[in-house]
Amino acid sequence: GEHWRISHDKGMGWNTWLRFKMKAIFEWSVLAHWAELRDVRWYVYVDDDTYVVGSALLPLLRRYDPDVPHYFGRPLQEEGFPAFVGGGAGIVLSRAAARIILPLSLEAEFCDPLNLKWGDRIHQGGDAWLGDCAENAGVVSEMEYGFYPQPPVGNLFHLYADAACFHGVEDHKEMHASLAAYKQTNASTRRASLEHYDARCVPVFVDHKYTCLPHFIIGGVPKAGTTSLYKYLMEHPEVL
């Protein structure tokens, strides 16, 4: 909040601020002199509304060698620009990848958050900034399942057995309780797991995420209030 206000007062737009924020977090985490961070094997960057399933993430990381460059999560692609890992669902860098990217982050012109190229991009945030630096450093983004850009829809937890991260979780305590209750209730059989999801939801997997097929559609145009209307509707207990 305060950092954004100061940046905004200096004429810095929101996405520019996000690029500077990602640059600062990345460089600080790799250069930190804390003993706990000196021997770190993996860097995992998440938002404050990202719920991390540690019991799934740690076994996933053990499948990879941290001394080999790895950069993975849920990749996004914009035509004509390098692929990058979307930040909300979680970004994972091995220490080898981080050390390769770091010198470019500190000095290279194409890693400058104020580079003019950003005016031509659709994706202009911090995750795209890291993706550009990684690409120029020769670190290619990899796809890894389990990084979901939204919480489970309709309590369909059985579809997310590979989940390492959920983005868009506003109440971490409630999410933790729901996940724990699901595991306890449905530990015995798959049939039991199917009895607790919302029957109104017909799930479909699109763009590396599950969503419910719509029962109705509200059309709109930019700046017409459709986002606010969506949020108001989502507050109703009978709306998924």
Side-chain angles (χ1 to χ4, degrees), residues 155-158 182 185-197:
N155 290 328
L156 294 167
F157 283 102
H158 65 281
Y182 163 76
T185 304
N186 304 305
S188 56
T189 65
R190 175 174 173 81
R191 184 174 185 180
S193 70
L194 297 175
E195 293 175 354
H196 293 83
Y197 78 89

Side-chain angles (χ1 to χ4, degrees), residues 101-115:
I101 297 169
L102 180 63
L104 301 183
S105 173
L106 293 170
E107 299 179 1
E109 181 180 352
F110 48 74
C111 284
D112 183 353
L114 294 177
N115 192 299

